[in-house]
Amino acid sequence: MVDSTNQMIDRWFTRINSGNPEIDVEREIIATAGEIIARTSFGMKDDNARDVFDKLRALQMTLFKTNRYVGVPFGKYFNVKKTLEAKKLGKEIDELLLSIIESRKKSGTKNGQQDLLGLLLQENHEVDGRSGKTLTSREVVDECKTFFFGGHETTALAITWTLLLLAMHPDWQNQLRDEIREVVGNSEELDISMLSGLKKMKWVMNEVLRLYPPAPNVQRQAREDIKVDDVTVADGTNMWIDVVAMHHDPELWGEDANEFRPERFMNDVNGGCKHKMGYLPFGFGGRMCVGRNLTFMEYKIVLTLLLSRFTFKTSPAYNHSPSIMLSLRPSYGLPLIVHPL
Ligand code: HEM
C-alpha cells in the first residue's frame, strides 16, 4: 500500500514541479487502489492486471447502462446490444483471469505467496483446523472478480470524497494533519498501533461514508411473504435499500443531516443516528462487507501519506455532480489544486 501510494505521490510531485498543480484526484486514486488490490490480493503487478482492470471498467460502464432492469422479467431483452457487449467483456475477463490463475498454479508459488490468491489456490487448505473445500479454477475466477469489483473502487471513492470534503473544510484538513504529526511523528514506517491512534481520521471516514456512501444501495430478496404494517412484500420481491436517502434523512440525523460534521462520530459509532439500521455504508447482517477492515487500513495509510506531503484546495474546474454508476462517484472526476507542504 505504501509503495503504490508513494509512486502516485512521486507522479504528483513531477506534475506540480512542471507547473501543473491541478490533479484529477479521482482518476489517480482509483488507479492506485486498483494496483493495491492487485498486489495485496493477487500478487499481480503487470500488464495482465492492467488489462483486467481496463476491461472491468468497461464492463462496469456497460452494466451501468443495463442494470436498471436487473430483476425485471425479460429485462435482458430491453437493451440487447449492451447486454451482448457485457457478455463479451465478461467472457474476455474470465479468460484473462483464468490465464493468470493457471500461470500462478504452474509457477509453483501457490503455497508460498501470502496473498488472497495464494490462499484460494491452496488445495484442501485448513480453515480453523478443519479441512477446507478445494475451489475449481472457475470458482477462483469468480472470487477474483468479486474482490476486484468490490475491493478497489469503493475504497478509492471513500478517499476521493474525503479529499473533496477536506479541501472544502480546511479546518478539518489541518486537524487531521496535526493528528498525524502527533501519532506518527517522524517515523518512516506506519504500524497498526499508529493507525488505530488516528481517531479523528476515523470520524472523518465515517462522516464521508455517511454523506457519500460509495455503495449507494444494498439489495435483498424476500424469501417469503413479509408483512410490514399494512403492506405485504411478496415472496421473491427484489428490494433496493436506498442508503444515500437514509444517510441524509433529517428524521434520522437531525436538521444538520446534510452538513459535514465528523464530530457526530466522536462518541457514537452510529454517529447519533436515531435508528440502529440507519447507517449502513457496509451493509448489514450476515452479508455485511468482508473487506471493511482492509478499507480502514488502506484509507488511513493513503490519507496519512497524502496529508503529510500536500495541501488540497478546491479547483474552479470542479463540477459537483455525484451520480450513481453502480457506485456513487463524481460525474466529472475530482480536479483539486495540490501544493507540496
Ligand atoms: C469503502 C469501502 C467499501 C464499501 C463502502 C463497501 C460496501 C459494501 C456493501 C454495501 C456490501 C453489501 C453488504 C450487504 O449486502 O449487506 C459489500 C459486500 C462485499 N464487499 Fe465491500 N465495501 C468496501 C470495501 C471492500 C473491500 C476493500 C473488499 C475486498 C477486498 C470488499 C469486498 C466485499 C465482498 C467480497 C462483499 C460480498 C460479501 C458477501 O456477499 O458475503 N469490499 N461491500
Side-chain angles (χ1 to χ4, degrees), residues 58 133 195 205 218:
K133 173 177 170 275
L195 297 184
M205 185 184 89
V218 178

Side-chain angles (χ1 to χ4, degrees), residues 122-300:
Q122 270 179 37
E123 283 146 283
N124 296 321
H125 59 273
E126 298 257 313
V127 181
D128 296 335
R130 286 173 294 128
S131 191
K133 173 177 170 275
T134 306
L135 295 172
T136 62
S137 290
R138 174 123 310 270
E139 286 169 327
V140 177
V141 165
D142 288 343
E143 293 294 328
C144 289
K145 281 196 290 192
T146 306
F147 275 80
F148 263 127
F149 260 131
H152 78 288
E153 195 172 279
T154 42
T155 311
L157 287 170
I159 298 169
T160 300
W161 290 120
T162 300
L163 290 173
L164 172 67
L165 286 162
L166 292 180
M168 291 167 68
H169 298 270
D171 52 326
W172 275 101
Q173 195 177 142
N174 288 332
Q175 285 195 56
L176 291 198
R177 214 168 271 121
D178 290 345
E179 183 179 70
I180 293 167
R181 269 188 215 113
E182 230 168 78
V183 174
V184 178
N186 293 326
S187 177
E188 298 271 306
E189 303 241 318
L190 291 170
D191 65 35
I192 284 289
S193 67
M194 286 174 187
L195 297 184
S196 56
L198 296 167
K199 306 269 185 246
K200 285 190 180 171
M201 198 181 278
K202 186 79 187 283
W203 312 341
V204 167
M205 185 184 89
N206 286 336
E207 181 68 337
V208 172
L209 292 178
R210 184 183 72 83
L211 288 169
Y212 297 98
N217 44 58
V218 178
Q219 300 81 35
R220 290 292 185 270
Q221 189 177 63
R223 307 299 290 168
E224 56 188 46
D225 288 353
I226 303 167
K227 214 164 158 21
V228 184
D229 296 334
D230 297 337
V231 180
T232 301
V233 181
D235 180 15
T237 305
N238 292 324
M239 286 168 277
W240 283 48
I241 299 155
D242 190 340
V243 174
V244 180
M246 278 199 322
H247 285 187
H248 290 256
D249 186 347
E251 280 188 25
L252 294 176
W253 300 92
E255 286 312 309
D256 62 358
N258 289 324
E259 283 167 35
F260 177 67
R261 289 191 55 243
E263 65 272 28
R264 67 176 96 233
F265 286 93
M266 187 180 344
N267 297 315
D268 182 355
V269 285
N270 242 3
C273 182
K274 294 195 181 92
H275 195 287
K276 65 177 185 338
M277 296 287 282
Y279 180 58
L280 299 179
F282 293 104
F284 58 96
R287 305 230 60 112
M288 195 176 192
C289 177
V290 289
R292 60 192 188 284
N293 285 329
L294 186 68
T295 293
F296 298 156
M297 183 188 283
E298 184 171 335
Y299 181 92
K300 286 183 173 175

